Amino acid sequence: MRFRTLVAAVLLLCVFSSAQALTFPEEGAGVEALQRYIESVNLALDSLGAQEINSLFECYASFASLGVTAIAGADEAESNEIDITLGAFGPEWLEVSVTDTTVFAGLCAALTAAAAGDTENVKSYLKDPEAYVKRVQQSPMNSFSDNIVLERGESVRTYFVYEPNAFGDGRSWLSMTLVFPREGALYSGVVQTPVPTQAVLSERDGSDDDGDYAPYDDGTHLEIFLTPTPEPDSAAGEEFR
């Protein structure tokens, strides 16, 4: 009985230590707001039964990098990383990137729900990232990318990018960029960008059709004319005789 009590106490201590692993520096109101945001994210992750964000790699007044690691308080990222750009009053936008897609949907859902102030309904935010994970699993060699706009608006916006073997090391990265609403925004919902489709290529041939004024080879083609300019027989050419 005493052994079981001791084991339970050790497990409780480990959980408590994990929750207290993040120590934010005193860098002003922006970092204070970040700390509150991450606490809200961790509550959402906990409600999903997912591992909390437990490591803070870097933190300054304008930037922070965090992640979920096997050991709390790790010095560097493992299979996931959350990079957050900070303003004077808190997070402005973030990018969460993973090589282990099993943690992607939960992280994205918690980060999005907390940004929208809707952590009680965090499960409803799983649908979109889960769809992207499924897409990667079905076509692991096909990349895709949303057109990311970082300007802040009235609502939370999310964008997704997938890069197979991005750095030539055999690892593929699935990322979500989240743009926070501007301070005082009246609408705190979430705008989900459409799932990207295959790009439509338009041929640019240098003609004037449909406003295509660009050179057919984007200006890389060199043309050499053997005829002198101006023409020798022209009025302007008289000056060169």
Side-chain angles (χ1 to χ4, degrees):
M1 184 67 177
R2 294 177 61 184
F3 177 74
R4 292 180 180 177
T5 302
L6 179 61
V7 170
V10 170
L11 291 175
L12 181 62
L13 180 61
C14 291
V15 172
F16 181 78
S17 298
S18 175
Q20 298 296 316
L22 299 180
T23 302
F24 290 83
E26 296 181 3
E27 291 283 357
V31 173
E32 291 178 3
L34 170 64
Q35 182 172 358
R36 293 192 296 271
Y37 171 67
I38 295 301
E39 289 172 353
S40 180
V41 172
N42 277 342
L43 287 174
L45 286 169
D46 185 61
S47 69
L48 292 173
Q51 187 176 350
E52 298 178 5
I53 298 169
N54 58 0
S55 292
L56 180 64
F57 310 125
E58 297 180 83
C59 188
Y60 312 101
S62 60
F63 174 81
S65 180
L66 309 93
V68 179
T69 56
I71 299 177
D75 294 329
E76 59 184 21
E78 295 170 356
S79 62
N80 60 83
E81 185 170 358
I82 306 165
D83 295 327
I84 304 178
T85 296
L86 301 173
F89 301 103
E92 296 190 341
W93 62 275
L94 66 80
E95 181 182 71
V96 53
S97 302
V98 308
T99 57
D100 177 8
T101 56
T102 62
V103 302
F104 185 72
L107 270 176
C108 290
L111 290 164
T112 306
D118 192 26
T119 54
E120 293 182 358
N121 297 307
V122 62
K123 290 184 178 179
S124 66
Y125 295 88
L126 287 168
K127 180 180 178 181
D128 293 321
E130 284 179 342
Y132 282 92
V133 170
K134 183 177 180 180
R135 179 175 180 173
V136 169
Q137 291 172 341
Q138 291 175 339
S139 303
M141 298 308 296
N142 291 338
S143 64
F144 56 79
S145 176
D146 288 334
N147 180 30
I148 300 172
V149 179
L150 297 180
E151 183 179 357
R152 300 167 70 185
E154 293 295 312
S155 59
V156 178
R157 297 198 312 277
T158 56
Y159 306 90
F160 294 84
V161 175
Y162 175 62
E163 299 175 282
N165 195 22
F167 303 105
D169 57 1
R171 298 198 300 171
S172 299
W173 290 88
L174 178 59
S175 305
M176 180 189 77
T177 297
L178 182 151
V179 181
F180 290 81
R182 62 175 178 264
E183 288 83 9
L186 298 177
Y187 174 62
S188 59
V190 177
V191 174
Q192 169 63 52
T193 54
V195 176
T197 56
Q198 184 176 359
V200 177
L201 301 178
S202 59
E203 183 178 350
R204 304 181 62 169
D205 56 7
S207 68
D208 291 341
D209 298 339
D210 299 323
D212 181 8
Y213 302 108
Y216 66 91
D217 57 359
D218 291 331
T220 59
H221 180 71
L222 176 64
E223 292 188 6
I224 300 176
F225 298 92
L226 299 180
T227 304
T229 303
E231 296 289 341
D233 296 334
S234 67
E238 296 289 338
E239 300 180 6
F240 294 91
R241 292 181 179 179

